Every structure is written in C-alpha cells, then in structure tokens.
Amino acid sequence: MIPPPHTGFSGSGPLFPSGVDLGAARQPLELLDADIAKTQGKSAMALHALSAIQGYLDETDLTDFPDTMSSKEKPPRKPLNPDRKLPPTQAGDLPPTPATPGLTTFNQKAFARNAYNVATPSIVKQVNNSPMVLVPPLSAQSQISDYKTFREDMPSSHGKDGPIVLSPHDQTRDQRAVADQASDHLQTLVQAILNADDQVTEELSAAPSNEASSYFTWVHQEGAEIRTLAIDKLVKLDSSLQKVIVADRLGDILIDDLYRLQKLCAGSFMTVQPSELSIDAILTSDDFSAWVQRADSAESALRSARVIVRIMIGLRGEKKVCSEEILHSVVGVLNQIFNSCIIPIVEARSKDSGAEVFELASLHKKEIGQLLYQANRVMKMLVEMLDKVDIAEAIVTTLEFFAIRILFVENAQVEKESILGIQKFEALRRTAMEIITGIFAKHPEQRSFIFGEILSSLQKLPTKGQNARQFKLSDGTSIQLVSALIMRLIQTSAAPAKRVAKGAQPRIAKKRKWSHSESDTSDSEAEKSSEAVGERGASRTSSVDSDGDTDDGAKGRLSREANELSNNAAKDAQHIMGYFVRRAMTASKTGDQPYRHLLDMFAEDLISVLTNAEWPAAELLLNVLMSIMMNITESKSTAPAKNMALELLGMMGSAISELVASTQSLARNLESQESPRSHCLRQMFDDYVDGRFQSNELFIRDGPYHIVLDYLASVDSDGLPTRSAQVFYLTQWARNVGSTLSTADPKEMTVVHQLQKALSSRGWNPS
C-alpha cells in the first residue's frame, strides 16, 4: 500500500485545488487497481508498461559504474529483446471503465483507448504474482484544508528576538489546537483564582473552603494579615500566560479579569518592608529564620511582578492593564529589594565591618540566591517592556537610577568573598546594561542624563585585580562592563530613535480603543568637530534634489539622515573621550584618583575588540582618542600630559602594526577560498598594497560592508551587541554611499533603496 505522495519540502503547496480535480487525477490508478483485482494479478496494462520500458534497458547503452565484484562473482546478464512486437488485444481483455458520477469521463475514455491499442493476452499468460498497487481512497468527509500546507515564508517558532507570535492565519491545525488548549487552560485558571478570591472576601464566608484557601498565603504584617497568591499558583499562572501570549491568544481573556488579576498580584508588594529586609534586621533578629521567611515574601512579590509585567507586554497599548500606578509599584518593590537586601549582601565581605553579615548570609545562600534569580527575571521582562510599550517618563527615570546603581556596585574579586557568586551578579549587571541601552535607544531626550550619570560614577570602578574585567565576549576576551556599555551607547547613537510600532496589536476579547501614550551635551572640542562634520555632509548633499520620486531625491534623503546620525555618534564619542582625558590629565598613576588607570584600561579594551565586527564603535573612539593625543603633543601642555599622550599613542601604534600583520595573514588565507566574496576581498587587499585601491570600492553592493552585515545578521542569536553594530555599519555605509555612488547606475541605486529600508527597520536582512 502506497500512501498519497508528499515531497515534504517547505515550498510544496497543494497539488489539487479541489476535490473534483483530485478524484479525476486518481482515476488512472483506480482503473489499474480494478484491472489487477479482476485479472488476479495478470493485468495487461501493467505488463505493457513493463514491456514498454525494456527498450531503454539495452545493456550496450547502459552507463558503466565501477564494481568491486570480480567477473567470476557477477551473475550472468540475461539479454533483453527491445524489438518484441505485441499482438493485437482481444476486446474481451479490455479492462472495465468504472462509472464515477460527478467526475469527468475524459480520462476514462483516453485510458481505455490506449489500453485497447497496446494490451496483449499472450503477455498476460507470462506474468505471475505481479505486485499490487493499492492507494487508499480519501474519505467523503476529507477536505484539503485538513492538511498542512508548507510555505516558503512560514516563520519558525523562535527568532532572533525570542518566540515569534503566529497569527491565526499562519497557524496550522495542530498549532491552533495547542493554542486553543492553552487559552482554555488559562481561562480556567484565572476563573478559579477569581472565584477563590470571591469566596475568601465574602463577608458571610467567615470560614472559606480549603480549596479556596489553597490559592492564597496569609502574611502577618504590623498587626494585619495580607493575603497574597500562593507561589505554586503564581508559577502556573506565569507559565500559562507565557504560552497564551506566544500563541497570540491573550485577547481571549476579558480585560476586567486581567486587571483584577494584576491588582490581586500587586497586593503582595505590601509584604515587602525595607526595614525588615535590611542588613540591620539581620543583625538584630533573634531568629535568622524569621528574616528568611520575609525573604520568601519578597520572592513571592517578585513572582507577582513578573505576572503583572507579562500581562502588560501581552496587551501592550491597553491602558487599563498598562496602568502607570501598577508599573510604578513594580519598579518600586524591585528597587526596595535591591537597596535593602541584595546590594548590601553583595558588598559584604568576610572581613572588616561586613564580617557578621557575611557569616549570617552565607548560611542561607540558596534562599538569597533565589531572590537574586527572580529579580533578574523581572529585570529581563522590563527590558522587553521598554522595547514594546511606551512608559511614563517618571518610571523611566526611576529605572535609570536603579540600573546605573547596579552597574557600579562593588562585586567581590574572588569567589570565596562572594556570597551569591561573582558570575551570578555579573549576569544581573548585564541585564541592567540592557535596561540602560533600551532607554537610550527609545528616549533620545534621556541620553545626556545617562552619559552624565555613567561618567560621574566612573571613580567607583575597580582598577586592579581580576574583578576589573568581567564582561566576556563571544571570542573569550574579557573587558570592563562599562567599556562594553559605552561602545553599545555610541553604536546606538548612530541609529534612528526607536518607537513602538502601532500596527501589530494583539487581538482583544472585546472592542476597545488603542492608544500610545534630543539634547546632547558635549565639550567645546566635540561641538566644533561635529559642526565641521555636519558642514561637510551638508556640502555633499546641498545639490541633491529632495523630491522623493527621483533617484537623486532618495539618495539625498539617505545622505542627510546618515550624516545626522553619524554626527550624533561622533559628538557622543568626543564627549566621552574628552571627559576621560580631562580627568586623566589632572591625575597620576600613583595618585588616589583612578582616572589615569581607567583611561589606560579603556584604551586597552577598545584595542582588544578592534578586530571584532560586533564592536565598530571601538574604531571611532580610538580615532577620537588619537586626535586628542596628537593635539596634546603639539600644544603647550604640561609634561605629564605629554607623557600620557605619548604612551597612549605608542599603545595605539603597536595595535595598528599588529592589525596590519594579522590582515596580511588573513589575506593569504583567502587564497584557498573559492567563493566570489573571498576573491573580491583578496583583490581589494592587493589593490590597497599596490596603491591602486579606490575608496568607493568599499561601498559597492556585495562589498565589505555588505559582507560584514550579512555576517552579523547570521550570528545575531542574542541580539545584544550585534543589532546596534548592524545599525552603526548601515549608517556609515549610507553616509559614504551618498557621496560616492552614482544615481545613473541602477545597481548602485539598488544599494540606496536597500539601505533606506534597513535603516528604517533598524536591522539588516541577509541576501
């Protein structure tokens, strides 16, 4: 029995548009099946097919394949006779033509006529036990829509930015069934929680049922009892919400029920009292287990915060569930837990004044570690919310202070001095960096404030020991976290301001209305430099037509936008390096102020990632630093300042020499590559060495920028630095395209339109 054929390739579509066409196509097989059954395996039609192909099996015309068997081992080949003639077929041997009402008879008549012309009874007598082909018929209730159709554009279940939400039109039948099941399970759970809440809060129900009570936990707080959802219910609720949001079915739940659920979860925030979670509470508590119990209440509050934020993300744009008051309470409880508990424990050491706290907290690493883990998960959800939901300015400012403080908490230098573990807190610090980067990308008006807070906190950074560099790159290199943050911010400065998309909104259970609710500071040197860059960019685009319907207009708009974005990144780089240099010029390596050491470490970090495509801002910052150092050596600066400039220039000169040597080695390795891109890069390098290289070759389609962007898009698994690096390269490419490529060449204009699309979407699609 042979099942219906299916290629299985992702691009295969339905073979037959209707059931009638499917039945007509199956008629020859059904006729063959009927003939085989009637003749008990001695089918004239099947035997004719076998005879017809014998002419193509002449042993003199067959392809010779090498054979490991010896001539003695080979069985003798029976000669074939392709000239065998077939006698005429008797009318009685003609296979019956079944009548199928409702289907066309054209195939039946043609098949019967061909069978009559070629069938032979003499061949029938020679065949015994012929194979039978049985194709199972479709049931009368079968529909084409019941079968899965593969398309080229079918999205995968996960993408670069996390799980992809499939619309109902993109879901297969099985996926819709899973989505229905997840939606039903969540609705059942929500109703059970709300019904239990009703039973407990009813005035006449002084003693609620055990089943209703199992949904809650009662916490005694200052003479009162606070009712919160039990942790096991919060775990189930969060898991169900996640599944439903991925299936884009959160709109199945009534908004009022979700809002009531949020208010119920927010009640657990009242159980978090900073005074009872503080270090002083640990030292004065007669029973440390009582403090651990309060830490459990804090963990429940963090789990409740996750549920609240997840609902906000799932129904972004819905004012009622994206309440500013509730979100402010989420950020507030997170801030309280860190300030009163986590940060003091992270800073505690086994010696000096923190010895007693270190000893007590070390006895309960598991409980405190769980608190840190849940806090990190809430912070990651806030990163996602910053990307998808418009947040009030007051909450954004609170998040900025909170995240920046975490960046500059002093972590332990060795594991034995860390209660929670060095790398666990570093993971939390990286999440804080993502919060800052998200605010920086979406709120340009906050960029000056963010830079100011980061630069004013630099003196808190360690300058010695292993703890100085804890941010690990993909190639195994370690740099300072603040170095990675500054490069990320510079790369983000070259990107268009990110706004929440208003098009793709989740489906809602009832009709409702949707709503969505730059100043850079730099020193005088940076302003002069950026003004000069802006004038050069303006001079290049002043003669370009601004009409959007012409190639000149498209090229002009692209050039102006790219120049503006590049100037933003240049001004920020000037401001950062100017601050470092001014502070370092007044300090020495042996002094108390760390700025001289910090400048050296920052320059070393930039050099270490110079060859890494994920950190293009390193080259811009090093160019700015080199320019400042050259100005110092040529000006009437002090001797310590000139010594500092010469040391840094020597460091950068050595890095340039190593870069040239490594580039030559990589170019030699390209000789063994056969791809067109390898040949292009090799030719460019040879032209550069011979002095024949033209700079506009860098900006052509399939050139170096194109190659690097394709690479970054292929490795963009976590989206951390690579997305900002993509936009930075796009801006630099677009800026140079505006001044080098010609609008007369259609291929070059293709690059212009591709760059416009990529910049507007803040990402690159590999080609």
Side-chain angles (χ1 to χ4, degrees):
M1 179 176 291
I2 302 175
H6 192 283
T7 60
F9 293 107
S10 60
S12 299
L15 297 177
F16 307 102
S18 66
V20 175
D21 296 328
L22 178 61
R26 293 178 61 90
Q27 282 184 3
L29 291 176
E30 292 173 352
L31 291 173
L32 179 61
D33 189 9
D35 185 50
I36 291 175
K38 179 180 178 181
T39 59
Q40 297 180 349
K42 301 177 181 181
S43 170
M45 290 181 290
L47 210 40
H48 167 68
L50 294 175
S51 176
I53 66 172
Q54 287 182 346
Y56 298 95
L57 300 178
D58 188 356
E59 62 181 349
T60 60
D61 292 331
L62 294 178
T63 305
D64 241 348
F65 293 95
D67 196 306
T68 56
M69 296 175 60
S70 64
S71 58
K72 296 181 179 180
E73 296 173 331
K74 295 181 180 179
R77 184 189 299 272
K78 185 177 181 181
L80 300 176
N81 183 13
D83 299 328
R84 178 182 299 166
K85 295 184 179 180
L86 304 176
T89 305
Q90 302 297 324
D93 294 325
L94 184 67
T97 302
T100 307
L103 298 179
T104 177
T105 60
F106 175 78
N107 287 341
Q108 297 174 354
K109 294 179 179 179
F111 193 85
R113 184 169 57 251
N114 292 337
Y116 179 82
N117 293 332
V118 300
T120 171
S122 60
I123 298 179
V124 173
K125 297 179 181 180
Q126 301 173 10
V127 179
N128 294 313
N129 300 326
S130 298
M132 180 177 294
V133 178
L134 296 178
V135 179
L138 295 175
S139 64
Q141 294 80 15
S142 298
Q143 300 292 332
I144 294 180
S145 59
D146 293 341
Y147 293 88
K148 183 175 181 180
T149 300
F150 293 93
R151 302 202 318 264
E152 292 290 345
D153 58 345
M154 177 67 73
S156 59
S157 60
H158 287 78
K160 297 177 183 178
D161 300 327
I164 295 178
V165 176
L166 299 178
S167 68
H169 299 291
D170 292 326
Q171 293 176 342
T172 64
R173 189 179 185 184
D174 291 341
Q175 289 172 326
R176 287 194 294 270
V178 172
D180 291 340
Q181 183 180 5
S183 176
D184 294 342
H185 182 268
L186 178 60
Q187 292 186 57
T188 302
L189 180 60
V190 170
Q191 289 303 317
I193 293 174
L194 297 182
N195 291 338
D197 180 55
D198 291 337
Q199 292 184 28
V200 172
T201 55
E202 284 180 357
E203 295 181 1
L204 299 178
S205 181
S209 64
N210 293 332
E211 182 180 357
S213 300
S214 66
Y215 283 84
F216 302 99
T217 299
W218 279 262
V219 179
H220 298 276
Q221 191 78 38
E222 297 180 355
E225 281 191 342
I226 300 175
R227 178 163 47 88
T228 64
L229 276 177
I231 286 185
D232 62 323
K233 306 303 179 184
L234 287 171
V235 172
K236 292 181 180 179
L237 186 59
D238 186 61
S239 176
S240 297
L241 279 169
Q242 186 176 13
K243 294 176 182 177
V244 171
I245 290 173
V246 170
D248 193 23
R249 297 288 296 274
L250 188 57
D252 294 350
I253 313 298
L254 292 177
I255 290 294
D256 292 338
D257 289 347
L258 292 175
Y259 178 70
R260 184 179 168 189
L261 197 63
Q262 285 182 319
K263 298 291 288 183
L264 189 60
C265 291
S268 63
F269 298 160
M270 293 186 295
T271 63
V272 179
Q273 297 294 327
S275 59
E276 296 184 354
L277 279 176
S278 66
I279 296 296
D280 294 336
I282 299 178
L283 298 178
T284 58
S285 176
D286 296 333
D287 185 5
F288 188 73
S289 60
W291 183 90
V292 174
Q293 185 176 2
R294 291 193 290 270
D296 291 340
S297 298
E299 179 187 343
S300 177
L302 291 173
R303 290 183 181 273
S304 299
R306 282 174 50 199
V307 171
I308 292 172
V309 177
R310 197 179 294 281
I311 293 174
M312 291 181 176
I313 295 173
L315 290 179
R316 51 190 178 276
E318 174 57 43
K319 286 185 177 181
K320 191 167 187 178
V321 296
C322 294
S323 167
E324 180 179 343
E325 177 185 359
I326 296 179
L327 183 58
H328 192 275
S329 63
V330 169
V331 178
V333 74
L334 191 64
N335 203 10
Q336 290 176 2
I337 292 173
F338 270 90
N339 291 337
S340 62
C341 177
I342 294 180
I343 291 179
I345 290 177
V346 171
E347 293 178 338
R349 301 292 178 264
S350 61
K351 299 179 181 179
D352 302 329
S353 58
E356 189 174 358
V357 174
F358 186 91
E359 182 179 357
L360 287 173
S362 297
L363 299 176
H364 298 274
K365 287 184 178 181
K366 182 177 180 180
E367 293 83 355
I368 302 174
Q370 182 65 18
L371 200 62
L372 180 72
Y373 173 73
Q374 294 299 332
N376 194 14
R377 297 188 68 180
V378 175
M379 290 170 61
K380 288 181 178 179
M381 295 194 66
L382 289 174
V383 172
E384 184 179 358
M385 187 170 182
L386 281 168
D387 183 62
K388 297 180 178 179
V389 182
D390 283 329
I391 299 177
E393 183 178 355
I395 300 176
V396 170
T397 303
T398 304
L399 277 174
E400 285 175 349
F401 280 113
F402 165 72
I404 290 175
R405 183 180 180 191
I406 292 178
L407 286 179
F408 295 97
V409 170
E410 184 180 357
N411 200 0
Q413 296 189 16
V414 292
E415 284 292 340
K416 67 178 182 179
E417 290 292 328
S418 175
I419 298 174
L420 301 175
I422 295 177
Q423 291 305 318
K424 289 182 179 179
F425 189 75
E426 290 301 322
L428 186 83
R429 223 196 287 261
R430 284 190 285 272
T431 307
M433 183 179 75
E434 290 305 308
I435 291 177
I436 296 173
T437 306
I439 296 174
F440 191 90
K442 194 173 174 182
H443 300 273
E445 70 280 357
Q446 298 287 337
R447 293 179 179 180
S448 177
F449 174 78
I450 291 174
F451 275 132
E453 288 296 312
I454 292 173
L455 294 176
S456 62
S457 303
L458 288 176
Q459 59 183 351
K460 301 177 183 178
L461 293 174
T463 56
K464 296 180 181 179
Q466 183 181 359
N467 191 43
R469 290 186 170 98
Q470 292 288 349
F471 188 87
K472 294 187 181 298
L473 305 179
S474 57
D475 59 357
T477 306
S478 295
I479 62 176
Q480 296 179 103
L481 181 69
V482 71
S483 299
L485 174 60
I486 289 174
M487 287 188 284
R488 285 279 305 278
L489 297 182
I490 296 297
Q491 291 168 187
T492 306
S493 296
K498 191 169 187 178
R499 296 297 179 189
V500 176
K502 297 183 180 181
Q505 302 288 1
R507 299 179 299 108
I508 307 300
K510 61 180 182 179
K511 184 177 179 181
R512 59 177 63 84
K513 182 179 179 181
W514 294 90
S515 62
H516 293 271
S517 14
E518 167 165 22
S519 61
D520 292 312
T521 303
S522 60
D523 54 27
S524 58
E525 184 178 0
E527 291 175 355
K528 293 178 181 178
S529 175
S530 61
E531 288 174 3
V533 174
E535 291 174 0
R536 291 195 296 271
S539 66
R540 288 195 296 267
T541 60
S542 59
S543 61
V544 180
D545 185 9
S546 61
D547 186 2
D549 296 331
T550 64
D551 288 341
D552 286 342
K555 179 181 172 184
R557 287 196 312 275
L558 178 65
S559 180
R560 285 190 294 273
E561 180 184 5
N563 273 298
E564 181 181 356
L565 295 174
S566 296
N567 292 342
N568 291 339
K571 287 197 300 182
D572 290 341
Q574 289 274 2
H575 179 54
I576 293 293
M577 298 312 305
Y579 184 92
F580 265 106
V581 172
R582 286 196 302 272
R583 297 299 186 274
M585 287 176 66
T586 60
S588 63
K589 288 188 175 182
T590 58
D592 296 334
Q593 295 183 347
Y595 291 104
R596 180 68 176 88
H597 286 287
L598 290 174
L599 179 59
D600 288 343
M601 294 178 65
F602 187 48
E604 291 169 358
D605 290 343
L606 297 178
I607 291 172
S608 65
V609 300
L610 187 57
T611 58
N612 193 323
E614 298 177 5
W615 304 95
E619 181 185 359
L620 174 61
L621 289 164
L622 286 173
N623 278 327
V624 172
L625 179 60
M626 182 184 67
S627 177
I628 296 175
M629 294 299 103
M630 291 293 294
N631 290 337
I632 291 177
T633 59
E634 296 172 358
S635 64
K636 297 181 180 180
S637 301
T638 61
K642 289 189 175 183
N643 289 336
M644 177 188 69
L646 291 174
E647 288 181 10
L648 289 172
L649 288 173
M651 183 190 303
M652 288 184 280
S654 176
I656 292 173
S657 299
E658 294 179 1
L659 180 60
V660 171
S662 63
T663 303
Q664 292 174 342
S665 175
L666 291 173
R668 287 192 295 269
N669 293 336
L670 289 176
E671 296 177 355
S672 60
Q673 304 289 333
E674 299 295 336
S675 66
R677 288 186 170 182
S678 299
H679 177 73
C680 174
L681 293 176
R682 174 65 186 176
Q683 186 62 44
M684 284 186 178
F685 181 78
D686 292 341
D687 292 344
Y688 176 79
V689 173
D690 297 338
R692 294 181 283 106
F693 180 75
Q694 297 181 359
S695 59
N696 61 345
E697 295 180 18
L698 292 172
F699 315 121
I700 62 173
R701 180 177 173 83
D702 293 326
Y705 277 99
H706 198 156
I707 295 173
V708 171
L709 285 167
D710 281 355
Y711 163 75
L712 290 174
S714 67
V715 300
D716 188 14
S717 57
D718 53 14
L720 297 181
T722 53
R723 197 62 59 85
S724 63
Q726 287 181 38
V727 182
F728 188 89
Y729 283 119
L730 284 171
T731 301
Q732 299 303 314
W733 191 6
R735 180 179 184 178
N736 288 283
V737 160
S739 60
T740 57
L741 297 188
S742 170
T743 56
D745 190 343
K747 292 183 179 180
E748 294 182 353
M749 286 310 302
T750 301
V751 176
V752 172
H753 297 307
Q754 189 176 14
L755 288 174
Q756 283 182 324
K757 182 179 179 180
L759 274 177
S760 62
S761 62
R762 295 172 56 93
W764 176 261
N765 291 323
S767 59

